[in-house]
Amino acid sequence: MKGKTKGVQAQLLTINPRALFVPCGEHTLNLVVANVAESSPDASGYFGNLQKLFTVFSATIQRWTVLKNRVDMSLKSLSETRWESCIRAIKAVRYQTMQVRKTLLDLRNQVTEPVTSTESQSRAEEVGSYRFLICTVLWYDILCQLQVSKLLQSTTMQLDVAMSLLKNTKAFLVRYRDSRFVSAQTSAKDICEEMKSRLC
């Protein structure tokens, strides 16, 4: 549609040469985050594991009911285009890791199908791993900052306010890279140690 030779942009420019194409700021921000996630093997692996975790529980009503009885926040499926919605997918794992892992271990012992039992065991090991937990903490912190993309969609958003919001988001990410990464590592380590002491 935005093609400058035959698309809507070209047709609008024939009517009004000053009708310049301006890409949607919210969509552009989503594309940036998508490219970052795709460029990192750890990030793409993490989101793949998160989706598999959702799939294990959503495969049957019984499994979903068991999960809902133990976890206050529901797991969500991932969206490839709207990265701020991934916050909901990560939130349950971020704040109720132990309950999710315990449910997977119980599911492993309750099911009769070997494939489901193996998958539950595999997901439980993944959720309990330091690598998964550090990704959970990091991506939750980062995606919470990207809720600015919702504000960019507002019909009353002004350009100077949008620029200020984006500058603040960039400043947060720079600070996070420089100093807060250590606190994310500590949080992931604390979750690991708590799980080992309670579940082992």
Side-chain angles (χ1 to χ4, degrees):
M1 284 186 69
K2 66 182 182 181
K4 48 187 173 180
T5 359
K6 294 184 180 179
V8 174
Q9 181 183 181
Q11 293 176 22
L12 288 174
L13 286 171
T14 59
I15 299 167
N16 182 355
R18 295 183 349 175
L20 300 176
F21 171 73
V22 178
C24 169
E26 189 269 339
H27 181 64
T28 303
L29 186 58
N30 274 321
L31 290 175
V32 168
V33 178
N35 286 338
V36 168
E38 287 170 9
S39 68
S40 165
D42 284 336
S44 57
Y46 169 73
F47 285 111
N49 283 319
L50 202 61
Q51 185 61 40
K52 285 179 185 175
L53 185 62
F54 172 79
T55 305
V56 165
F57 288 114
S58 64
T60 68
I61 294 171
Q62 292 82 5
R63 291 185 212 167
W64 194 254
T65 304
V66 169
L67 178 70
K68 283 181 74 175
N69 289 338
R70 295 215 178 136
V71 179
D72 297 335
M73 296 171 270
S74 181
L75 293 175
K76 302 284 184 189
S77 183
L78 294 174
S79 167
E80 292 180 17
T81 54
R82 305 190 69 77
W83 283 90
E84 79 275 1
S85 70
C86 291
I87 296 168
R88 290 174 299 186
I90 298 172
K91 192 172 184 179
V93 181
R94 168 68 178 94
Y95 291 107
Q96 296 187 324
T97 314
M98 197 173 325
Q99 294 91 320
V100 170
R101 185 163 183 254
K102 179 85 169 79
T103 306
L104 285 164
L105 292 171
D106 289 347
L107 182 62
R108 172 200 63 188
N109 297 328
Q110 291 169 4
V111 295
T112 54
E113 312 91 37
V115 174
T116 306
S117 179
T118 305
E119 181 67 14
S120 300
Q121 174 69 35
S122 175
R123 294 300 110 226
E125 288 173 6
E126 185 64 38
V127 168
S129 72
Y130 177 73
R131 180 182 210 142
F132 182 86
L133 292 170
I134 189 80
C135 285
T136 298
V137 173
L138 285 171
W139 277 104
Y140 184 77
D141 290 350
I142 290 168
L143 292 176
C144 279
Q145 285 299 309
L146 292 180
Q147 292 189 51
V148 69
S149 65
K150 279 282 185 204
L151 298 172
L152 294 175
Q153 294 178 49
S154 170
T155 55
T156 58
M157 178 55 66
Q158 296 176 5
L159 187 58
D160 59 334
V161 176
M163 292 294 292
S164 176
L165 288 170
L166 290 171
K167 282 180 183 175
N168 290 342
T169 301
K170 180 183 175 185
F172 167 84
L173 293 172
V174 169
R175 280 195 315 273
Y176 197 91
R177 181 190 63 200
D178 294 341
S179 59
R180 294 196 53 200
F181 180 73
V182 176
S183 68
Q185 288 177 308
T186 305
S187 296
K189 187 179 176 186
D190 291 345
I191 295 168
C192 272
E193 289 173 357
E194 187 181 0
M195 277 195 294
K196 282 178 185 172
S197 65
R198 290 198 184 181
L199 295 178
C200 294

